[in-house]
Amino acid sequence: MAEEETELSEEQRKEIAKWFLLNAPAGEIQYVAKDLKSVLNDDDVYNEAASEAFPVYNKSHMICLEMPGRFGDVLVTSYGELQDNDYLDPKTAQVAIVDHVKQVCTEVRPATDEELPSPYIEEYRCALDAEMSKYVGEAYPKGFCSVYCTNGKDAEGPGSDFELVVVISAARLSPQNFCNGSWRSIWNIEFKDDIQILELKGKLQVGAHYFEEGNVQLDARHECKDSTLFQSPDDSAVSIATIIRHHETEYLASLEASYLNLPDTTFKDLRRKLPVTRTLFPWHNTSQFSLTREISKELGIGK
């Protein structure tokens, strides 16, 4: 006798809904949410799952939202999160209030002095922001960047260590063509005054989703480290931007090279070493095979 099916509790359904929302590819969470709402057919469960999942998703994907009042754009990241739904945009010294589920910025207010770094730190942050904006504008046409001070923001002058974080977020969304993609990179820069060294740690993540008559996803991650001399704000900014440009360009080149080698490596390994015919597949000369010719031969078409 078949076992009776047990009905899922509201908590279980909420957790399952959250999993689907959190694992939605870049730019597709609203589509997933629409389908989930229809499948759940329970507004209370959906609203609870959405209220918990959307903030996490938005911050992990570092989405960019337009601020009202022509203030520009704000990146939704954990580095700029002040409280609840308030996110700092260091470039404009504005705080955006965000509706996570609707993924819109509802209002803007000026940042307070306590929410901003000291003039000494701001000089370094502003110089680096300018250099990174220049780089991102050249490398990522659909990209945005922001520079935050995450440690030692109250330092008033030389002699103190502090830390800046560079966040780069770029998305290429084309659902009408069944493909979406994103680039996310986070660079932690530790300014160590005692040894006059800047230490950089980078985390790069590339995602892509192709879903025309199928479902293929890419989720590539890479970490790297580097260092340079602690110099003036402008010189430090140039050095940091040069290092970031080098590592990101190098990583993109390695991804392109791996794609070019896919037919000779990954795809080849997916195939049987010895197929049913017991003969190795001639990868060096595939032009001798014609599916149409073989089928015609087998079925006697054209005779």
Side-chain angles (χ1 to χ4, degrees):
M1 186 174 180
E3 294 183 6
E4 293 185 6
E5 293 184 3
T6 57
E7 187 176 344
L8 296 174
S9 66
E10 286 192 3
E11 183 66 24
Q12 288 174 317
R13 287 191 292 156
K14 184 194 77 171
E15 291 302 318
I16 293 172
K18 279 176 59 180
W19 186 91
F20 277 104
L21 290 170
L22 290 171
N23 287 277
E28 297 179 35
I29 190 171
Q30 294 291 356
Y31 300 105
V32 174
K34 183 179 179 181
D35 290 341
L36 269 177
K37 192 171 185 179
S38 176
V39 170
L40 285 171
N41 197 27
D42 188 325
D43 288 345
D44 292 336
V45 173
Y46 168 77
N47 290 335
E48 192 173 347
S51 65
E52 294 180 17
F54 267 88
V56 178
Y57 179 91
N58 292 340
K59 286 184 285 187
S60 65
H61 283 262
M62 301 188 296
I63 66 169
C64 185
L65 300 177
E66 183 180 355
M67 292 187 287
R70 297 183 180 180
F71 282 107
D73 302 292
V74 60
L75 283 176
V76 178
T77 74
S78 58
Y79 303 103
E81 186 176 21
L82 299 175
Q83 57 181 8
D84 297 330
N85 302 323
D86 293 6
Y87 292 86
L88 173 68
D89 177 41
K91 189 177 298 184
T92 60
Q94 299 293 319
V95 175
I97 292 82
V98 172
D99 184 325
H100 280 287
V101 176
K102 293 182 180 179
Q103 293 185 316
V104 295
C105 178
T106 56
E107 53 183 298
V108 177
R109 67 168 175 83
T112 64
D113 291 340
E114 292 74 21
E115 293 168 338
L116 297 172
S118 67
Y120 172 70
I121 301 299
E122 179 62 18
E123 195 174 359
Y124 279 91
R125 194 212 64 79
C126 190
L128 182 54
D129 194 299
E131 286 296 325
M132 291 309 304
S133 296
K134 190 187 306 180
Y135 159 63
V136 171
E138 297 170 357
Y140 306 102
K142 300 284 185 179
F144 299 89
C145 74
S146 195
V147 181
Y148 306 91
C149 179
T150 56
N151 190 25
K153 71 174 188 176
D154 296 326
E156 297 293 341
S160 301
D161 296 345
F162 59 95
E163 184 175 352
L164 298 180
V165 173
V166 175
V167 172
I168 301 174
S169 178
R172 193 70 176 268
L173 307 178
S174 185
Q176 69 275 15
N177 293 316
F178 308 101
C179 63
N180 295 308
S182 67
W183 168 280
R184 285 165 277 169
S185 58
I186 300 171
W187 290 89
N188 293 76
I189 305 109
E190 294 183 17
F191 289 71
K192 298 189 174 182
D193 188 87
D194 54 342
I195 56 176
Q196 291 293 291
I197 290 292
L198 308 183
E199 292 186 352
L200 289 81
K201 297 177 182 177
K203 293 182 179 179
L204 319 179
Q205 184 173 356
V206 184
H209 184 210
Y210 294 87
F211 49 99
E212 184 174 12
E213 298 183 357
N215 184 8
V216 179
Q217 293 195 50
L218 164 73
D219 185 9
R221 301 166 190 260
H222 177 67
E223 294 188 12
C224 49
K225 295 181 179 180
D226 212 323
S227 62
T228 185
L229 294 176
F230 194 143
Q231 305 172 78
S232 67
D234 290 338
D235 291 339
S236 293
V238 171
S239 296
I240 293 169
T242 301
I243 289 173
I244 292 176
R245 180 191 295 269
H246 167 73
H247 283 284
E248 294 193 349
T249 302
E250 194 175 62
Y251 180 55
L252 283 172
S254 70
L255 284 177
E256 291 180 357
S258 66
Y259 298 149
L260 291 174
N261 294 328
L262 278 178
D264 296 326
T265 55
T266 307
F267 291 156
K268 186 175 179 179
D269 290 338
L270 289 174
R271 190 177 173 84
R272 296 179 188 174
K273 298 301 180 184
L274 281 175
V276 176
T277 59
R278 308 300 296 172
T279 58
L280 291 171
F281 189 82
W283 292 97
H284 60 282
N285 184 16
T286 59
S287 60
Q288 62 179 292
F289 286 87
S290 169
L291 185 59
T292 304
R293 185 173 65 242
E294 294 298 323
I295 293 176
S296 299
K297 182 179 177 181
E298 288 293 326
L299 300 179
I301 300 174
K303 291 183 179 179

